[in-house]
Each structure stands twice: as structure tokens, then as C-alpha cells.
Amino acid sequence: MAHPKRKTSKTRRDKRRTHYKASVPQIATCPTTGEAHLYHRAHWHEGKLYYRGQVLIDNSEKEENLA
């Protein structure tokens, strides 16, 4: 079984880990609502589910019927 001959210093260990970074998520703006959302993701706005500028699910009608 392999084992280190010398202890790896904190500096050497941290230098090796410099390339592991969190990427910044890309934010898109919906052309219909102007709402900011993640790319390739549907988003809710005023009781409606939008994807690529089109309404997929409309829950605002259900809320009006219940009231």
C-alpha cells in the first residue's frame, strides 16, 4: 500500500487545490416577463410557470376559482 514519505505541507496542498472553483451560474432574463432565471430552467411568475417565454402551467385560474 502506498504511503507518503514526507508530510505534504499546507502550502503545497492548497496550491494543488487552486483549480477547484465554484462556477458562477448564468442568469437569463425572460423576454415575456423580464424575470431573471437560470438558463434552461422553467420559472414561476405571478402563478404561471414560464419556459422560453411561453406559459406551461397556469395556476392563477385555480386560485381565482377557490376564492
Side-chain angles (χ1 to χ4, degrees):
M1 192 166 136
H3 59 280
K5 197 165 198 175
R6 298 265 182 260
K7 180 179 178 179
T8 306
S9 69
K10 295 172 199 162
T11 306
R12 187 176 278 283
R13 176 199 66 202
D14 293 344
K15 280 182 188 176
R16 184 178 67 246
R17 294 180 180 171
T18 58
H19 303 291
Y20 299 117
K21 298 177 182 145
S23 59
V24 178
Q26 287 189 319
I27 305 292
T29 306
C30 181
T32 308
T33 62
E35 189 80 11
H37 63 92
L38 293 175
Y39 274 104
H40 307 291
R41 301 290 190 282
H43 63 282
W44 289 97
H45 181 70
E46 297 179 355
K48 297 178 182 177
L49 183 67
Y50 287 90
Y51 182 68
R52 298 181 67 187
Q54 297 179 349
V55 178
L56 296 179
I57 300 172
D58 191 356
N59 280 349
S60 60
E61 295 172 358
K62 292 180 183 176
E63 293 173 3
E64 292 172 3
N65 294 338
L66 295 175

